Amino acid sequence: MTPTFQPGQATVYNSVQDIAQLTRALRKTARPVVLVPTMGALHAGHISLVKAAQRIPGAVVIVSIFVNPLQFAEGEDLDAYPRTLEADVEKLRAAGADAVFAPSPREMYPNGPRTVIHPGQVGTILEGKTRPTHFAGVLTVVNKLFHITNCSHAIFGEKDYQQLIVIQQMVTDLNLDVQVIGAPIVRENDGLALSSRNTYLSETERELALTLSAALTSGAYMAGQGPDAVVAAARAVIDSVPEIELDYLELAGPQLGDVDPEGANRLLVAARVGATRLIDNIGIDFGSEEVTGEPRA
């Protein structure tokens, strides 16, 4: 039996047919359907995306919770990834989300993962260099979610900055009628970017993880000295903590191409703290004295 839709009560739908039927009906009322895609294990960063969605006038907010196997390579943490659906739904109900789409892998891929979307060149750098199949998995599931939920808007956090860029690229290149909105990174008071993977960190590892936001801050404060000084300052902080296993530290333009020495850019980092791989980033504008996306409370 299809659940009765109750606005603001985070009604849970498990089938593609049911959520599609609901959202088609909602779109016919001319209300925007705003999708917040997640893999669950929700924290304050996810709830901030729900709040951003609710600021769109008349929005019906749909939160998807799906640990997408297609974006995990062999040896990654698919099986260990936290699954806390009941607690997640309670948080979404408290936040006033309208509906939750929580399908099974079989529901999403009834014929297996046969057709995938290639992310192009931007999907081969940074995260894509370390995880070469990752963004094809991301784009495939996001494209499916866009169509299944009939959404007019979708909200993504800037912490996964490269993901945001490849999704925006997909929407443009495939002429999808969805407005993609990036929302700012949410941090703990000490600067640590919120992530579901933070739960893997021991107390000691969590202290070490602060090195990433400290490095980004140090780099950002050197913006007045130019790109080389930004990267050097950030790298010096990371190099001072031998327990941090750096994957990459890169300065790139806003679309992850060449650095703009007179405009907006992004400084991105990925590293392992113990067995946990974390990512973070900060906006840096060489045309302004202001630090963008500063990792502080």
Side-chain angles (χ1 to χ4, degrees), residues 26 49 109 122 124 150 173 203 216 262 277 295:
L26 289 168
L49 303 183
Y109 301 113
V122 74
T124 66
N150 299 286
D173 292 351
E203 186 174 343
L216 295 176
E262 298 181 352
R277 188 172 182 277

Side-chain angles (χ1 to χ4, degrees), residues 131-153:
R131 309 173 70 191
T133 63
H134 175 66
F135 287 117
V138 169
L139 293 185
T140 301
V141 76
V142 168
N143 187 283
K144 285 175 68 71
L145 288 169
F146 283 176
H147 287 287
I148 290 167
T149 65
N150 299 286
C151 63
S152 56
H153 302 69

Side-chain angles (χ1 to χ4, degrees), residues 13-21 65-69 101-113 141 144-145 148:
Y13 297 82
N14 302 117
S15 82
V16 167
Q17 180 179 343
D18 288 346
I19 195 70
Q21 182 179 8
I65 297 177
F66 179 61
V67 181
N68 176 33
F101 177 47
S104 66
R106 180 179 291 276
E107 183 70 13
M108 287 295 286
Y109 301 113
N111 300 301
V141 76
K144 285 175 68 71
L145 288 169
I148 290 167

Side-chain angles (χ1 to χ4, degrees), residues 248-265:
Y248 61 77
L249 174 69
E250 299 285 347
L251 182 65
Q255 298 302 309
L256 301 181
D258 292 341
V259 173
D260 182 351
E262 298 181 352
N265 297 273

Side-chain angles (χ1 to χ4, degrees), residues 168-180:
Q168 289 174 329
Q169 173 184 281
M170 176 185 70
V171 166
T172 298
D173 292 351
L174 299 186
N175 303 104
L176 303 181
D177 190 18
V178 179
Q179 182 178 343
V180 173

